[in-house]
Amino acid sequence: MNNRLKIICILFAITYLAVILHFVFNVVGISIQKTNNDKKEIAEQETSQDTERKAFATYVFDILPLEKSGSYPTISIENTKTGELIDVEVHQLSVSVQTGLLPIIGKLLAGTLMIFITTYIPVQTFKIVRSISKNVIFDMKNIKRIRNIGYSLIILFFVILLFQYLFSIAMNDMIAFKGYKISGIEIKHTSYLLFGLASLLFAEILKISLKMKEEQDFTI
Amino acid sequence: MSIIVNLDVMMAKRKISLNDLSDKVDITPANLSILKTGKAKAIRFSTLEALCKELNCQPGDILEFQNDN
């Protein structure tokens, strides 16, 4: 096997494992979301928000309590490294409620599909790599495999969206809070859609290449 | 495909086998077989020239256009 291909395969395996671990065990407790980096946006914010908020409007951190029973600060939190008090704002609140059987079934179905797809993709990738190592690159089977990976990623994206939508409908039917609305669809997993479309595009490019190769092979 | 390869007809007329022709025009028997069976997508001028020279014929004797309609 090509050395570069070997390195890419190893990197892919490590990244894939890390992503799976992240989703399954939620090992990463803190996520950093870069927002409002654009000066233009900051300038727009200045007009709408008070001056005190300008300082911390550059980065937004989501924090999780170290203990399960831990509570969230509502006004400020101390940075133990500098001793400085940092203002906080609660922009999302999680509420635990007892649900019926339907959301559980939906969750199980979505989870099963997710497990199936997360298993299906590495199996297909392994088959593609094995095929490439045998010097069979321009093959219709490989193109179909790449296309199937793309379709499964896109299906996964829409299943998650559908699940969130149905879940939010079910929740809105069951519960209501005065002064609050239950958040509906959160488009978090856009990377699935992006990689799915990229896979489909790659498959189409390979298909055209295969056609060109066939023409080249059959030119006597 | 509307282009018909009549190589087999010309070979029969000249009474030459596939292997003999492949040796003379310097094409592998496998490729010549592809051409003979009409599986080829294209033919190089150099190949056509060599075939015409060896079979003592015109390109029109080897290739024929048939309207599908």
Side-chain angles (χ1 to χ4, degrees), chain B residues 17-60:
Chain B
S17 71
L18 189 92
N19 284 329
D20 288 344
L21 187 64
S22 70
D23 281 343
K24 283 174 181 171
V25 294
D26 203 23
I27 301 170
T28 60
N31 278 344
L32 206 58
S33 175
I34 288 168
L35 194 63
K36 197 182 142 191
T37 49
K39 286 177 189 167
K41 301 257 182 190
I43 181 165
R44 288 190 193 91
F45 280 152
S46 55
T47 312
L48 193 61
E49 189 186 331
L51 285 170
C52 288
K53 199 179 272 179
E54 202 51 49
L55 296 170
N56 194 23
C57 64
Q58 292 297 313

mmCIF file of all heavy atoms in Angstrom, chain B residues 17-60:
data_model
loop_
_atom_site.group_PDB
_atom_site.id
_atom_site.type_symbol
_atom_site.label_atom_id
_atom_site.label_comp_id
_atom_site.label_asym_id
_atom_site.label_seq_id
_atom_site.Cartn_x
_atom_site.Cartn_y
_atom_site.Cartn_z
ATOM 1 N N SER B 17 -5.330 -14.872 -40.071
ATOM 2 C CA SER B 17 -5.828 -15.136 -38.703
ATOM 3 C C SER B 17 -5.565 -13.914 -37.802
ATOM 4 O O SER B 17 -4.754 -13.043 -38.139
ATOM 5 C CB SER B 17 -5.148 -16.355 -38.116
ATOM 6 O OG SER B 17 -3.807 -16.054 -37.834
ATOM 7 N N LEU B 18 -6.208 -13.924 -36.676
ATOM 8 C CA LEU B 18 -6.085 -12.816 -35.707
ATOM 9 C C LEU B 18 -4.656 -12.684 -35.186
ATOM 10 O O LEU B 18 -4.115 -11.581 -35.114
ATOM 11 C CB LEU B 18 -7.057 -13.051 -34.537
ATOM 12 C CG LEU B 18 -7.223 -11.899 -33.553
ATOM 13 C CD1 LEU B 18 -8.374 -11.011 -33.960
ATOM 14 C CD2 LEU B 18 -7.445 -12.413 -32.153
ATOM 15 N N ASN B 19 -4.054 -13.814 -34.887
ATOM 16 C CA ASN B 19 -2.691 -13.796 -34.351
ATOM 17 C C ASN B 19 -1.683 -13.312 -35.391
ATOM 18 O O ASN B 19 -0.775 -12.540 -35.064
ATOM 19 C CB ASN B 19 -2.299 -15.192 -33.848
ATOM 20 C CG ASN B 19 -2.960 -15.510 -32.531
ATOM 21 O OD1 ASN B 19 -3.217 -14.611 -31.726
ATOM 22 N ND2 ASN B 19 -3.278 -16.776 -32.318
ATOM 23 N N ASP B 20 -1.876 -13.747 -36.636
ATOM 24 C CA ASP B 20 -0.966 -13.313 -37.705
ATOM 25 C C ASP B 20 -1.069 -11.803 -37.922
ATOM 26 O O ASP B 20 -0.048 -11.106 -38.036
ATOM 27 C CB ASP B 20 -1.301 -14.044 -39.020
ATOM 28 C CG ASP B 20 -0.890 -15.517 -38.964
ATOM 29 O OD1 ASP B 20 -0.102 -15.845 -38.049
ATOM 30 O OD2 ASP B 20 -1.363 -16.300 -39.807
ATOM 31 N N LEU B 21 -2.315 -11.348 -37.965
ATOM 32 C CA LEU B 21 -2.534 -9.901 -38.181
ATOM 33 C C LEU B 21 -1.964 -9.083 -37.020
ATOM 34 O O LEU B 21 -1.341 -8.044 -37.233
ATOM 35 C CB LEU B 21 -4.030 -9.618 -38.363
ATOM 36 C CG LEU B 21 -4.397 -8.186 -38.757
ATOM 37 C CD1 LEU B 21 -3.833 -7.829 -40.140
ATOM 38 C CD2 LEU B 21 -5.903 -7.976 -38.776
ATOM 39 N N SER B 22 -2.186 -9.583 -35.809
ATOM 40 C CA SER B 22 -1.682 -8.855 -34.621
ATOM 41 C C SER B 22 -0.157 -8.772 -34.641
ATOM 42 O O SER B 22 0.416 -7.758 -34.244
ATOM 43 C CB SER B 22 -2.178 -9.505 -33.330
ATOM 44 O OG SER B 22 -1.564 -10.743 -33.150
ATOM 45 N N ASP B 23 0.481 -9.837 -35.133
ATOM 46 C CA ASP B 23 1.948 -9.820 -35.250
ATOM 47 C C ASP B 23 2.404 -8.790 -36.280
ATOM 48 O O ASP B 23 3.369 -8.059 -36.059
ATOM 49 C CB ASP B 23 2.459 -11.208 -35.677
ATOM 50 C CG ASP B 23 2.493 -12.170 -34.503
ATOM 51 O OD1 ASP B 23 2.447 -11.662 -33.363
ATOM 52 O OD2 ASP B 23 2.552 -13.393 -34.724
ATOM 53 N N LYS B 24 1.646 -8.729 -37.398
ATOM 54 C CA LYS B 24 2.067 -7.852 -38.495
ATOM 55 C C LYS B 24 1.808 -6.380 -38.216
ATOM 56 O O LYS B 24 2.586 -5.524 -38.631
ATOM 57 C CB LYS B 24 1.359 -8.278 -39.787
ATOM 58 C CG LYS B 24 2.001 -9.528 -40.382
ATOM 59 C CD LYS B 24 1.244 -10.041 -41.570
ATOM 60 C CE LYS B 24 1.931 -11.312 -42.092
ATOM 61 N NZ LYS B 24 1.145 -11.984 -43.117
ATOM 62 N N VAL B 25 0.693 -6.076 -37.537
ATOM 63 C CA VAL B 25 0.384 -4.650 -37.266
ATOM 64 C C VAL B 25 0.873 -4.199 -35.888
ATOM 65 O O VAL B 25 0.650 -3.054 -35.492
ATOM 66 C CB VAL B 25 -1.125 -4.341 -37.426
ATOM 67 C CG1 VAL B 25 -1.573 -4.504 -38.853
ATOM 68 C CG2 VAL B 25 -1.966 -5.187 -36.498
ATOM 69 N N ASP B 26 1.490 -5.103 -35.163
ATOM 70 C CA ASP B 26 2.051 -4.793 -33.839
ATOM 71 C C ASP B 26 0.981 -4.326 -32.833
ATOM 72 O O ASP B 26 1.142 -3.310 -32.154
ATOM 73 C CB ASP B 26 3.169 -3.746 -33.976
ATOM 74 C CG ASP B 26 4.120 -3.807 -32.788
ATOM 75 O OD1 ASP B 26 4.167 -4.883 -32.157
ATOM 76 O OD2 ASP B 26 4.778 -2.798 -32.499
ATOM 77 N N ILE B 27 -0.104 -5.063 -32.797
ATOM 78 C CA ILE B 27 -1.157 -4.837 -31.793
ATOM 79 C C ILE B 27 -1.357 -6.162 -31.066
ATOM 80 O O ILE B 27 -1.260 -7.227 -31.693
ATOM 81 C CB ILE B 27 -2.497 -4.413 -32.451
ATOM 82 C CG1 ILE B 27 -2.335 -3.134 -33.250
ATOM 83 C CG2 ILE B 27 -3.599 -4.216 -31.416
ATOM 84 C CD1 ILE B 27 -3.544 -2.798 -34.096
ATOM 85 N N THR B 28 -1.653 -6.102 -29.794
ATOM 86 C CA THR B 28 -1.845 -7.360 -29.056
ATOM 87 C C THR B 28 -3.112 -8.068 -29.560
ATOM 88 O O THR B 28 -4.084 -7.393 -29.946
ATOM 89 C CB THR B 28 -1.990 -7.104 -27.536
ATOM 90 O OG1 THR B 28 -3.117 -6.278 -27.332
ATOM 91 C CG2 THR B 28 -0.772 -6.442 -26.954
ATOM 92 N N PRO B 29 -3.133 -9.390 -29.549
ATOM 93 C CA PRO B 29 -4.335 -10.118 -29.994
ATOM 94 C C PRO B 29 -5.591 -9.723 -29.201
ATOM 95 O O PRO B 29 -6.687 -9.689 -29.758
ATOM 96 C CB PRO B 29 -3.981 -11.583 -29.749
ATOM 97 C CG PRO B 29 -2.511 -11.625 -29.738
ATOM 98 C CD PRO B 29 -2.042 -10.321 -29.208
ATOM 99 N N ALA B 30 -5.379 -9.410 -27.914
ATOM 100 C CA ALA B 30 -6.530 -9.017 -27.073
ATOM 101 C C ALA B 30 -7.161 -7.730 -27.595
ATOM 102 O O ALA B 30 -8.396 -7.621 -27.714
ATOM 103 C CB ALA B 30 -6.063 -8.832 -25.643
ATOM 104 N N ASN B 31 -6.295 -6.748 -27.924
ATOM 105 C CA ASN B 31 -6.818 -5.474 -28.435
ATOM 106 C C ASN B 31 -7.453 -5.634 -29.810
ATOM 107 O O ASN B 31 -8.475 -5.023 -30.105
ATOM 108 C CB ASN B 31 -5.693 -4.437 -28.498
ATOM 109 C CG ASN B 31 -5.458 -3.793 -27.149
ATOM 110 O OD1 ASN B 31 -6.293 -3.889 -26.259
ATOM 111 N ND2 ASN B 31 -4.315 -3.150 -26.988
ATOM 112 N N LEU B 32 -6.823 -6.475 -30.616
ATOM 113 C CA LEU B 32 -7.377 -6.713 -31.956
ATOM 114 C C LEU B 32 -8.731 -7.419 -31.851
ATOM 115 O O LEU B 32 -9.647 -7.160 -32.647
ATOM 116 C CB LEU B 32 -6.391 -7.546 -32.772
ATOM 117 C CG LEU B 32 -6.477 -7.380 -34.290
ATOM 118 C CD1 LEU B 32 -6.275 -5.940 -34.704
ATOM 119 C CD2 LEU B 32 -5.459 -8.272 -34.993
ATOM 120 N N SER B 33 -8.854 -8.271 -30.857
ATOM 121 C CA SER B 33 -10.117 -8.966 -30.622
ATOM 122 C C SER B 33 -11.213 -7.980 -30.209
ATOM 123 O O SER B 33 -12.363 -8.088 -30.644
ATOM 124 C CB SER B 33 -9.915 -10.023 -29.539
ATOM 125 O OG SER B 33 -11.136 -10.606 -29.221
ATOM 126 N N ILE B 34 -10.829 -7.005 -29.379
ATOM 127 C CA ILE B 34 -11.783 -5.957 -28.950
ATOM 128 C C ILE B 34 -12.280 -5.195 -30.181
ATOM 129 O O ILE B 34 -13.472 -4.928 -30.327
ATOM 130 C CB ILE B 34 -11.114 -5.013 -27.921
ATOM 131 C CG1 ILE B 34 -10.942 -5.719 -26.577
ATOM 132 C CG2 ILE B 34 -11.935 -3.735 -27.713
ATOM 133 C CD1 ILE B 34 -10.052 -4.999 -25.589
ATOM 134 N N LEU B 35 -11.316 -4.894 -31.064
ATOM 135 C CA LEU B 35 -11.667 -4.160 -32.291
ATOM 136 C C LEU B 35 -12.561 -5.008 -33.208
ATOM 137 O O LEU B 35 -13.553 -4.529 -33.754
ATOM 138 C CB LEU B 35 -10.368 -3.774 -33.015
ATOM 139 C CG LEU B 35 -10.474 -2.748 -34.129
ATOM 140 C CD1 LEU B 35 -10.960 -1.424 -33.608
ATOM 141 C CD2 LEU B 35 -9.110 -2.564 -34.796
ATOM 142 N N LYS B 36 -12.213 -6.278 -33.304
ATOM 143 C CA LYS B 36 -12.933 -7.191 -34.192
ATOM 144 C C LYS B 36 -14.374 -7.419 -33.715
ATOM 145 O O LYS B 36 -15.307 -7.488 -34.522
ATOM 146 C CB LYS B 36 -12.176 -8.534 -34.220
ATOM 147 C CG LYS B 36 -12.537 -9.435 -35.361
ATOM 148 C CD LYS B 36 -11.749 -10.722 -35.238
ATOM 149 C CE LYS B 36 -12.617 -11.903 -35.661
ATOM 150 N NZ LYS B 36 -12.004 -13.177 -35.327
ATOM 151 N N THR B 37 -14.539 -7.517 -32.403
ATOM 152 C CA THR B 37 -15.881 -7.789 -31.866
ATOM 153 C C THR B 37 -16.739 -6.526 -31.718
ATOM 154 O O THR B 37 -17.883 -6.603 -31.284
ATOM 155 C CB THR B 37 -15.785 -8.485 -30.499
ATOM 156 O OG1 THR B 37 -14.879 -7.756 -29.688
ATOM 157 C CG2 THR B 37 -15.315 -9.919 -30.634
ATOM 158 N N GLY B 38 -16.168 -5.391 -32.065
ATOM 159 C CA GLY B 38 -16.948 -4.144 -32.020
ATOM 160 C C GLY B 38 -17.081 -3.535 -30.641
ATOM 161 O O GLY B 38 -17.952 -2.703 -30.395
ATOM 162 N N LYS B 39 -16.214 -3.968 -29.704
ATOM 163 C CA LYS B 39 -16.277 -3.416 -28.341
ATOM 164 C C LYS B 39 -15.470 -2.122 -28.211
ATOM 165 O O LYS B 39 -15.608 -1.409 -27.213
ATOM 166 C CB LYS B 39 -15.746 -4.441 -27.335
ATOM 167 C CG LYS B 39 -16.700 -5.595 -27.066
ATOM 168 C CD LYS B 39 -16.038 -6.584 -26.126
ATOM 169 C CE LYS B 39 -16.874 -7.850 -26.008
ATOM 170 N NZ LYS B 39 -16.117 -8.925 -25.350
ATOM 171 N N ALA B 40 -14.632 -1.857 -29.210
ATOM 172 C CA ALA B 40 -13.750 -0.675 -29.129
ATOM 173 C C ALA B 40 -14.559 0.620 -29.184
ATOM 174 O O ALA B 40 -15.589 0.688 -29.856
ATOM 175 C CB ALA B 40 -12.757 -0.721 -30.274
ATOM 176 N N LYS B 41 -14.105 1.605 -28.420
ATOM 177 C CA LYS B 41 -14.784 2.909 -28.384
ATOM 178 C C LYS B 41 -14.183 3.858 -29.417
ATOM 179 O O LYS B 41 -14.848 4.788 -29.862
ATOM 180 C CB LYS B 41 -14.642 3.535 -26.987
ATOM 181 C CG LYS B 41 -15.220 2.703 -25.874
ATOM 182 C CD LYS B 41 -16.539 3.234 -25.423
ATOM 183 C CE LYS B 41 -17.089 2.404 -24.272
ATOM 184 N NZ LYS B 41 -18.452 2.725 -23.956
ATOM 185 N N ALA B 42 -12.897 3.647 -29.716
ATOM 186 C CA ALA B 42 -12.228 4.531 -30.680
ATOM 187 C C ALA B 42 -11.054 3.782 -31.312
ATOM 188 O O ALA B 42 -10.585 2.784 -30.770
ATOM 189 C CB ALA B 42 -11.720 5.776 -29.971
ATOM 190 N N ILE B 43 -10.616 4.297 -32.443
ATOM 191 C CA ILE B 43 -9.460 3.668 -33.119
ATOM 192 C C ILE B 43 -8.485 4.769 -33.520
ATOM 193 O O ILE B 43 -8.901 5.834 -34.019
ATOM 194 C CB ILE B 43 -9.911 2.799 -34.323
ATOM 195 C CG1 ILE B 43 -8.707 2.121 -34.996
ATOM 196 C CG2 ILE B 43 -10.746 3.557 -35.336
ATOM 197 C CD1 ILE B 43 -9.073 1.004 -35.939
ATOM 198 N N ARG B 44 -7.214 4.542 -33.262
ATOM 199 C CA ARG B 44 -6.199 5.539 -33.614
ATOM 200 C C ARG B 44 -5.948 5.484 -35.120
ATOM 201 O O ARG B 44 -6.070 4.409 -35.738
ATOM 202 C CB ARG B 44 -4.891 5.255 -32.875
ATOM 203 C CG ARG B 44 -4.962 5.571 -31.405
ATOM 204 C CD ARG B 44 -3.589 5.520 -30.739
ATOM 205 N NE ARG B 44 -3.744 5.528 -29.293
ATOM 206 C CZ ARG B 44 -3.839 4.450 -28.530
ATOM 207 N NH1 ARG B 44 -3.768 3.246 -29.082
ATOM 208 N NH2 ARG B 44 -3.993 4.545 -27.239
ATOM 209 N N PHE B 45 -5.586 6.649 -35.673
ATOM 210 C CA PHE B 45 -5.276 6.706 -37.109
ATOM 211 C C PHE B 45 -4.108 5.768 -37.435
ATOM 212 O O PHE B 45 -4.108 5.115 -38.480
ATOM 213 C CB PHE B 45 -4.926 8.134 -37.536
ATOM 214 C CG PHE B 45 -6.135 9.008 -37.756
ATOM 215 C CD1 PHE B 45 -6.069 10.388 -37.567
ATOM 216 C CD2 PHE B 45 -7.348 8.476 -38.193
ATOM 217 C CE1 PHE B 45 -7.166 11.194 -37.782
ATOM 218 C CE2 PHE B 45 -8.457 9.281 -38.411
ATOM 219 C CZ PHE B 45 -8.371 10.648 -38.201
ATOM 220 N N SER B 46 -3.145 5.701 -36.504
ATOM 221 C CA SER B 46 -1.962 4.870 -36.745
ATOM 222 C C SER B 46 -2.360 3.392 -36.846
ATOM 223 O O SER B 46 -1.839 2.650 -37.686
ATOM 224 C CB SER B 46 -0.944 5.067 -35.623
ATOM 225 O OG SER B 46 -1.546 4.813 -34.387
ATOM 226 N N THR B 47 -3.318 2.979 -35.981
ATOM 227 C CA THR B 47 -3.793 1.588 -36.016
ATOM 228 C C THR B 47 -4.531 1.313 -37.328
ATOM 229 O O THR B 47 -4.309 0.281 -37.977
ATOM 230 C CB THR B 47 -4.745 1.330 -34.831
ATOM 231 O OG1 THR B 47 -4.152 1.815 -33.653
ATOM 232 C CG2 THR B 47 -5.083 -0.135 -34.690
ATOM 233 N N LEU B 48 -5.388 2.269 -37.697
ATOM 234 C CA LEU B 48 -6.180 2.127 -38.924
ATOM 235 C C LEU B 48 -5.256 2.054 -40.149
ATOM 236 O O LEU B 48 -5.460 1.231 -41.049
ATOM 237 C CB LEU B 48 -7.151 3.316 -39.032
ATOM 238 C CG LEU B 48 -8.263 3.219 -40.057
ATOM 239 C CD1 LEU B 48 -9.183 2.030 -39.776
ATOM 240 C CD2 LEU B 48 -9.097 4.495 -40.056
ATOM 241 N N GLU B 49 -4.240 2.908 -40.103
ATOM 242 C CA GLU B 49 -3.264 2.945 -41.202
ATOM 243 C C GLU B 49 -2.547 1.594 -41.328
ATOM 244 O O GLU B 49 -2.433 1.035 -42.434
ATOM 245 C CB GLU B 49 -2.258 4.065 -40.918
ATOM 246 C CG GLU B 49 -1.314 4.359 -42.063
ATOM 247 C CD GLU B 49 -0.248 5.376 -41.654
ATOM 248 O OE1 GLU B 49 -0.519 6.219 -40.785
ATOM 249 O OE2 GLU B 49 0.846 5.290 -42.214
ATOM 250 N N ALA B 50 -2.127 1.070 -40.174
ATOM 251 C CA ALA B 50 -1.417 -0.219 -40.172
ATOM 252 C C ALA B 50 -2.304 -1.347 -40.681
ATOM 253 O O ALA B 50 -1.859 -2.211 -41.444
ATOM 254 C CB ALA B 50 -0.931 -0.523 -38.757
ATOM 255 N N LEU B 51 -3.558 -1.331 -40.254
ATOM 256 C CA LEU B 51 -4.502 -2.368 -40.686
ATOM 257 C C LEU B 51 -4.765 -2.287 -42.199
ATOM 258 O O LEU B 51 -4.778 -3.312 -42.891
ATOM 259 C CB LEU B 51 -5.832 -2.233 -39.927
ATOM 260 C CG LEU B 51 -5.835 -2.694 -38.460
ATOM 261 C CD1 LEU B 51 -7.130 -2.283 -37.782
ATOM 262 C CD2 LEU B 51 -5.660 -4.206 -38.352
ATOM 263 N N CYS B 52 -4.984 -1.044 -42.683
ATOM 264 C CA CYS B 52 -5.250 -0.847 -44.115
ATOM 265 C C CYS B 52 -4.045 -1.300 -44.957
ATOM 266 O O CYS B 52 -4.206 -1.925 -46.011
ATOM 267 C CB CYS B 52 -5.571 0.619 -44.410
ATOM 268 S SG CYS B 52 -7.178 1.099 -43.805
ATOM 269 N N LYS B 53 -2.852 -0.972 -44.434
ATOM 270 C CA LYS B 53 -1.623 -1.337 -45.149
ATOM 271 C C LYS B 53 -1.499 -2.860 -45.233
ATOM 272 O O LYS B 53 -1.202 -3.416 -46.287
ATOM 273 C CB LYS B 53 -0.422 -0.732 -44.393
ATOM 274 C CG LYS B 53 0.824 -0.633 -45.235
ATOM 275 C CD LYS B 53 1.944 0.001 -44.435
ATOM 276 C CE LYS B 53 1.920 1.516 -44.538
ATOM 277 N NZ LYS B 53 2.992 2.132 -43.747
ATOM 278 N N GLU B 54 -1.772 -3.517 -44.117
ATOM 279 C CA GLU B 54 -1.607 -4.963 -44.047
ATOM 280 C C GLU B 54 -2.697 -5.717 -44.816
ATOM 281 O O GLU B 54 -2.433 -6.738 -45.456
ATOM 282 C CB GLU B 54 -1.600 -5.389 -42.565
ATOM 283 C CG GLU B 54 -0.934 -6.708 -42.312
ATOM 284 C CD GLU B 54 0.461 -6.808 -42.929
ATOM 285 O OE1 GLU B 54 1.279 -5.884 -42.731
ATOM 286 O OE2 GLU B 54 0.729 -7.810 -43.650
ATOM 287 N N LEU B 55 -3.924 -5.185 -44.727
ATOM 288 C CA LEU B 55 -5.047 -5.867 -45.399
ATOM 289 C C LEU B 55 -5.250 -5.375 -46.834
ATOM 290 O O LEU B 55 -6.155 -5.863 -47.531
ATOM 291 C CB LEU B 55 -6.345 -5.684 -44.587
ATOM 292 C CG LEU B 55 -6.354 -6.321 -43.193
ATOM 293 C CD1 LEU B 55 -7.563 -5.863 -42.399
ATOM 294 C CD2 LEU B 55 -6.336 -7.843 -43.266
ATOM 295 N N ASN B 56 -4.449 -4.374 -47.180
ATOM 296 C CA ASN B 56 -4.513 -3.799 -48.530
ATOM 297 C C ASN B 56 -5.946 -3.352 -48.877
ATOM 298 O O ASN B 56 -6.562 -3.820 -49.836
ATOM 299 C CB ASN B 56 -3.989 -4.822 -49.549
ATOM 300 C CG ASN B 56 -3.723 -4.173 -50.897
ATOM 301 O OD1 ASN B 56 -3.521 -2.958 -50.957
ATOM 302 N ND2 ASN B 56 -3.732 -4.960 -51.963
ATOM 303 N N CYS B 57 -6.446 -2.477 -48.027
ATOM 304 C CA CYS B 57 -7.826 -2.006 -48.221
ATOM 305 C C CYS B 57 -7.938 -0.535 -47.825
ATOM 306 O O CYS B 57 -6.942 0.083 -47.413
ATOM 307 C CB CYS B 57 -8.791 -2.842 -47.398
ATOM 308 S SG CYS B 57 -8.514 -2.688 -45.626
ATOM 309 N N GLN B 58 -9.135 0.026 -47.941
ATOM 310 C CA GLN B 58 -9.410 1.411 -47.552
ATOM 311 C C GLN B 58 -10.060 1.427 -46.162
ATOM 312 O O GLN B 58 -10.679 0.414 -45.777
ATOM 313 C CB GLN B 58 -10.364 2.060 -48.571
ATOM 314 C CG GLN B 58 -9.766 2.282 -49.950
ATOM 315 C CD GLN B 58 -8.587 3.248 -49.918
ATOM 316 O OE1 GLN B 58 -8.662 4.311 -49.308
ATOM 317 N NE2 GLN B 58 -7.482 2.853 -50.550
ATOM 318 N N PRO B 59 -9.946 2.566 -45.428
ATOM 319 C CA PRO B 59 -10.611 2.626 -44.102
ATOM 320 C C PRO B 59 -12.105 2.301 -44.187
ATOM 321 O O PRO B 59 -12.666 1.686 -43.280
ATOM 322 C CB PRO B 59 -10.393 4.072 -43.655
ATOM 323 C CG PRO B 59 -9.169 4.500 -44.343
ATOM 324 C CD PRO B 59 -9.156 3.781 -45.652
ATOM 325 N N GLY B 60 -12.720 2.678 -45.285
ATOM 326 C CA GLY B 60 -14.150 2.400 -45.473
ATOM 327 C C GLY B 60 -14.469 0.919 -45.576
ATOM 328 O O GLY B 60 -15.604 0.510 -45.336
#
